[in-house]
Amino acid sequence: MRKKSVLERVRLLGKAGIDTLAALGRSTLFLLRALFGRSELGGGMQLLVRQLYSVGVMSLAIIVVSGMFIGMVLALQGYNILSKYGSDQAVGQMVALTLLRELGPVVTALLFAGRAGSALTAEIGNMKSTEQLSSLEMIGVDPLKYIIAPRLWAGFISMPLLAMIFSVVGIWGGAMVAVDWLGVYEGSFWSNMQGSVTFTSDVLNGVIKSVVFAFVVTWIAVFQGYDCEPTSEGIGRATTRTVVYASLAVLGLDFILTALMFGDF
Amino acid sequence: MQIRTLEIGVGLFLLAGLLALLLLALRVSGLSPTADTNTYTLYAHFDNIAGLTVRAKVTMAGVNIGKITAIDLDRDTYTGRVTMAIDESVNNLPTDSTASILTAGLLGEKYIGISVGGEEEVLKEGGTIRDTQSSLVLEDLIGKFLMNSVNKEAK
Amino acid sequence: MSGDNGYAVELKGVTFMRGTRSIMNNVDIRIPRGKVTGIMGPSGSGKTTLLRLIAAQLKPSSGEVWVNGYNLPCLSRHELFDMRKQMGVLFQSGALFTDLDVFENVAFPLRVHTKLPEEMIRDIVLMKLQAVGLRGAVELMPDELSGGMKRRVALARAIALDPQILMYDEPFVGQDPIAMGVLVRLIRLLNDALGITSIVVSHDLAETASIADYIYVVGDSQVLGHGTPQSLRESDNPRIRQFMKGTPDGPVPFHYPAADFRDELLGGR
């Protein structure tokens, strides 16, 4: 490699900035067109069902298993600390609040990005590289409507449901460990939880979080697939980008949302 | 019939999601649709409600008999007025019952415990419990303790 | 308007830039109606770009692309999709939809664009598959087909809506001699039987020359020459000669542009 002059570096930096800006604009247009462009295509419902299956139902196993383990670990750790202060019955409240406010939406989004997001990117990228998207266009079908839109909607719908299932399974796992194993009195476990968890500020805020995450993760995944370089390495890189970008976006947004929802200012 | 199994799978998935929401609402956050129908309202004034929160429980002999629905300041007496929703089944509280703010464990949540009085007459909807014991404020206690020891030394 | 003047597709002064690199520079091409036209040139000479310009999947940086009397760059996205119903493209890889079987692949354009009853769709699909000789493969999935069969199914799909213009993107690449022979025959047959305009983009000299009525040779982002296969073979343009004869060195040099070899070896960086 030759050494680059300072001017060259500045030029490259500027180019990178402009490229990023262009990608942002392109992805926004892409999203708007896919969601609000008009469609003359019938059978939209069937397409959506197919995608809900591959995006939502197929992610169910990993969500349920991880949810249960995370709930169990939370109960164990929480019990260890809380029992030192003699308030081990608060373990239910701790497990529920942690899951509903943070871990449910965030971990679901991260798992979703890894499981469904990368699959979406790879699938669409593969369609692009085998010219299926071009060929749809030539048949006179807008791939944004036929391929992209159902996948976007499937992601938007699935993730909040998955997050709620995650929380429920987690709380159940936590209850199992705390009540059956560690011997926390069952009545106080639940009543403590019910006393401190409120529907609007905890449950609904968690759902709102996961709706936002669903939007961002699915958008990134689908756009990376659609925008990737149509070669094997291109698809591989796009898949990696999906997971990295989606995870960073989820964690960053989580901070902002938490500050807005629970920050009291 | 492949699309059929897909549809059933997706249907189950959506159902599981809704069920999860329902569980979160009823079991976890204790949102009960029938809670408001069969309760009656009582008031109690405390000099200091420090730490008591809305939705905290109201107990009698350790049994949950209702919850706190509102806390506000009474402008005339400068005391904290706590509004409680008591289960209809417990409609035989004597008028001289005592309400005190208790703490579950050393660092646990605050709640109200009601101890029964001896009057024949019972509290009705909108009634007020007169005999109250305020929250134990740790700072005050320490302050008193210090004052005592200072006084002793002075003697 | 350049309406019906015997040309199905006309490119007038088309320039296409990718970044700062020009892929096509002021290109004029006219493709006669009802004939098989070959577009030939070495790899990387922008043949596929040309096809995508005609299919309006790319917009030219400047110039006009007239198809059936419409200037494509001026049409809206919606009008374009209507326009494309009159065009069929056979992609290099076939581009069959991997989650649909052969029948559904061929039926797809019919289902999207027509409201025909199921029996009629069935009849049309079987007719088209019969034409490419794959009626027996109706129930197979794309990944169970060989490369040549995939292309034939894709061809059946491309003609499902009876297009007026059919474009082939490198139809002969990576085919065994038998599959190649089948495709060559099919292209000619479909062109004559359906009276459509065929555009074959390829660098396979013998096959293209054997079916094309007229050939354009492109390279260096320009049209190098055009004419009937016979007249091109006798052309005295050295670039065309090199391409038609397949000699390794000539106006298109064997070496990628580089500094003098001697200097570089001795210079010792």
Side-chain angles (χ1 to χ4, degrees):
Chain A
M1 279 302 260
R2 266 178 307 158
K3 249 182 125 176
K4 292 191 186 84
S5 69
V6 178
L7 205 66
E8 178 78 351
R9 278 161 201 262
V10 170
R11 201 185 67 82
L12 282 177
L13 191 71
K15 184 172 150 38
I18 291 172
D19 282 352
T20 314
L21 213 61
L24 203 65
R26 208 161 59 239
S27 62
T28 308
L29 281 178
F30 159 86
L31 182 75
L32 292 178
R33 243 193 229 149
L35 292 183
F36 305 115
R38 59 187 192 160
S39 162
E40 55 285 333
L41 208 66
M45 206 53 213
Q46 216 184 28
L47 291 174
L48 182 63
V49 166
R50 207 176 269 279
Q51 289 314 315
L52 274 175
Y53 189 84
S54 66
V55 168
V57 179
M58 300 300 275
S59 310
L60 210 51
I62 189 174
I63 292 292
V64 167
V65 172
S66 337
M68 198 167 77
F69 279 120
I70 286 186
M72 287 161 69
V73 167
L74 275 178
L76 269 178
Q77 294 281 18
Y79 181 83
N80 265 341
I81 295 167
L82 289 171
S83 61
K84 282 184 189 150
Y85 302 99
S87 38
D88 47 346
Q89 70 272 30
V91 73
Q93 151 186 3
M94 198 208 80
V95 169
L97 286 181
T98 319
L99 278 171
L100 287 173
R101 290 181 175 181
E102 285 301 330
L103 293 186
V106 172
V107 176
T108 304
L110 294 180
L111 291 174
F112 189 87
R115 166 67 184 75
S118 58
L120 279 177
T121 306
E123 187 193 14
I124 294 172
N126 197 39
M127 282 182 175
K128 188 177 182 182
S129 77
T130 55
E131 294 172 308
Q132 291 183 51
L133 294 183
S134 300
S135 132
L136 268 176
E137 236 171 68
M138 285 317 298
I139 290 171
V141 174
D142 192 342
L144 287 181
K145 293 270 108 189
Y146 184 78
I147 300 289
I148 305 298
R151 284 168 173 74
L152 280 173
W153 284 115
F156 296 169
I157 296 170
S158 309
M159 205 201 284
L161 294 178
L162 288 171
M164 286 190 288
I165 294 172
F166 184 95
S167 298
V168 166
V169 174
I171 289 169
W172 177 69
M176 214 166 63
V177 167
V179 173
D180 299 342
W181 188 7
L182 300 172
V184 175
Y185 174 55
E186 186 171 7
S188 56
F189 179 89
W190 290 109
S191 71
N192 228 308
M193 187 189 298
Q194 290 173 359
S196 57
V197 176
T198 56
F199 185 70
T200 43
S201 77
D202 297 324
V203 178
L204 280 190
N205 273 344
V207 173
I208 291 171
K209 267 189 181 180
S210 69
V211 168
V212 175
F213 295 162
F215 186 79
V216 173
V217 170
T218 321
W219 181 16
I220 290 176
V222 170
F223 179 71
Q224 288 298 344
Y226 190 77
D227 201 49
C228 79
E229 197 186 313
T231 58
S232 328
E233 311 95 82
I235 296 171
R237 272 201 301 272
T239 313
T240 313
R241 270 205 304 274
T242 292
V243 177
V244 173
Y245 289 179
S247 307
L248 288 178
V250 164
L251 294 172
L253 273 173
D254 183 50
F255 176 74
I256 297 172
L257 286 176
T258 307
L260 283 178
M261 286 168 173
F262 306 105
D264 275 342
F265 49 74
Chain B
M1 279 295 98
Q2 227 230 315
I3 189 77
R4 187 100 193 112
T5 51
L6 282 187
E7 277 169 358
I8 293 170
V10 171
L12 283 176
F13 171 54
L14 294 183
L15 209 66
L18 289 181
L19 196 71
L21 183 65
L22 209 68
L23 275 176
L24 289 183
L26 299 183
R27 190 89 174 95
V28 176
S29 68
L31 200 72
S32 131
T34 53
D36 300 330
T37 53
N38 50 5
T39 61
Y40 66 103
T41 309
L42 287 183
Y43 300 99
H45 294 259
F46 292 95
D47 294 335
N48 192 341
I49 58 107
L52 198 63
T53 55
V54 173
R55 289 178 53 78
K57 59 188 175 180
V58 179
T59 62
M60 172 166 244
V63 181
N64 212 338
I65 59 164
K67 64 179 182 201
I68 295 171
T69 54
I71 296 174
D72 41 26
L73 184 72
D74 190 325
R75 278 180 55 90
D76 301 328
T77 59
Y78 303 104
T79 53
R81 191 182 63 163
V82 173
T83 314
M84 296 170 285
I86 308 293
D87 289 353
E88 196 72 71
S89 55
V90 194
N91 58 359
N92 55 348
L93 293 176
T95 47
D96 63 342
S97 298
T98 316
S100 33
I101 298 178
L102 305 171
T103 310
L106 184 58
L107 298 166
E109 43 164 349
K110 297 264 159 75
Y111 64 98
I112 288 185
I114 296 179
S115 11
V116 78
E119 283 284 337
E120 296 275 307
E121 232 175 306
V122 295
L123 285 161
K124 295 270 168 1
E125 159 78 30
T128 305
I129 297 176
R130 312 228 166 267
D131 196 359
T132 60
Q133 260 179 36
S134 290
S135 184
L136 203 79
V137 180
L138 214 54
E139 292 92 320
D140 289 358
L141 267 183
I142 295 170
K144 275 180 194 160
F145 176 74
L146 282 177
M147 285 302 285
N148 274 348
S149 43
V150 168
N151 287 347
K152 267 181 201 160
E153 256 162 52
K155 274 178 192 172
Chain C
M1 296 286 285
S2 59
D4 208 36
N5 47 11
Y7 295 110
V9 178
E10 274 186 276
L11 274 70
K12 294 182 182 169
V14 168
T15 301
F16 183 79
M17 318 272 282
R18 184 159 281 161
T20 50
R21 207 158 59 92
S22 81
I23 312 244
M24 318 231 94
N25 196 2
N26 203 14
V27 165
D28 291 285
I29 288 181
R30 292 202 260 182
I31 289 167
R33 195 179 297 279
K35 297 270 170 55
V36 178
T37 305
I39 294 178
M40 313 199 55
S43 302
S45 58
K47 300 187 299 291
T48 303
T49 308
L50 190 70
L51 208 64
R52 289 187 186 261
L53 282 169
I54 299 174
Q57 289 190 328
L58 295 174
K59 261 196 168 126
S61 309
S62 68
E64 298 170 4
V65 182
W66 293 86
V67 174
N68 281 344
Y70 292 97
N71 185 12
L72 294 184
C74 295
L75 296 183
S76 72
R77 191 176 166 85
H78 191 67
E79 287 168 312
L80 270 182
F81 277 108
D82 274 347
M83 189 70 214
R84 289 192 184 129
K85 291 177 202 166
Q86 304 170 16
M87 294 189 239
V89 176
L90 182 68
F91 287 97
Q92 234 173 83
S93 57
L96 294 178
F97 304 132
T98 37
D99 53 341
L100 300 177
D101 64 12
V102 167
F103 181 91
E104 285 301 323
N105 258 293
V106 181
F108 186 84
L110 296 167
R111 291 200 201 284
V112 174
H113 289 304
T114 65
K115 301 242 179 305
L116 293 176
E118 193 56 38
E119 305 92 68
M120 267 185 84
I121 290 185
R122 201 185 116 82
D123 291 349
I124 295 175
V125 170
L126 290 183
M127 257 165 59
K128 304 294 178 191
L129 281 173
Q130 174 73 12
V132 297
L134 287 176
R135 191 164 47 82
V138 169
E139 283 172 0
L140 297 182
M141 294 304 282
D143 48 12
E144 297 172 288
L145 301 174
S146 73
M149 283 158 86
K150 269 185 201 159
R151 257 173 235 193
R152 278 149 75 190
V153 173
L155 187 55
R157 186 180 67 186
I159 57 172
L161 284 173
D162 295 321
Q164 298 171 15
I165 301 170
L166 201 47
M167 290 179 264
Y168 303 85
D169 187 6
E170 301 285 5
F172 310 119
V173 166
Q175 298 290 311
D176 62 72
I178 303 174
M180 195 113 92
V182 169
L183 274 168
V184 168
R185 216 191 86 193
L186 269 177
I187 293 173
R188 188 75 240 181
L189 209 67
L190 287 173
N191 188 76
D192 297 347
L194 303 175
I196 51 185
T197 307
S198 308
I199 305 172
V200 181
V201 166
S202 174
H203 53 233
D204 289 277
L205 197 63
E207 287 74 22
T208 314
S210 71
I211 48 167
D213 298 309
Y214 204 80
I215 289 181
Y216 276 86
V217 180
V218 295
D220 268 353
S221 62
Q222 295 167 16
V223 175
L224 296 177
H226 54 94
T228 58
Q230 192 52 40
S231 70
L232 279 178
R233 238 173 247 134
E234 287 153 11
S235 165
D236 44 9
N237 181 331
R239 286 173 163 277
I240 296 176
R241 283 256 295 279
Q242 187 196 355
F243 183 71
M244 296 302 270
K245 298 225 166 72
T247 41
D249 209 352
V252 177
F254 172 71
H255 289 291
Y256 191 83
D260 189 73
F261 192 37
R262 216 183 122 81
D263 291 350
E264 204 157 336
L265 280 182
L266 295 177
R269 254 191 298 180

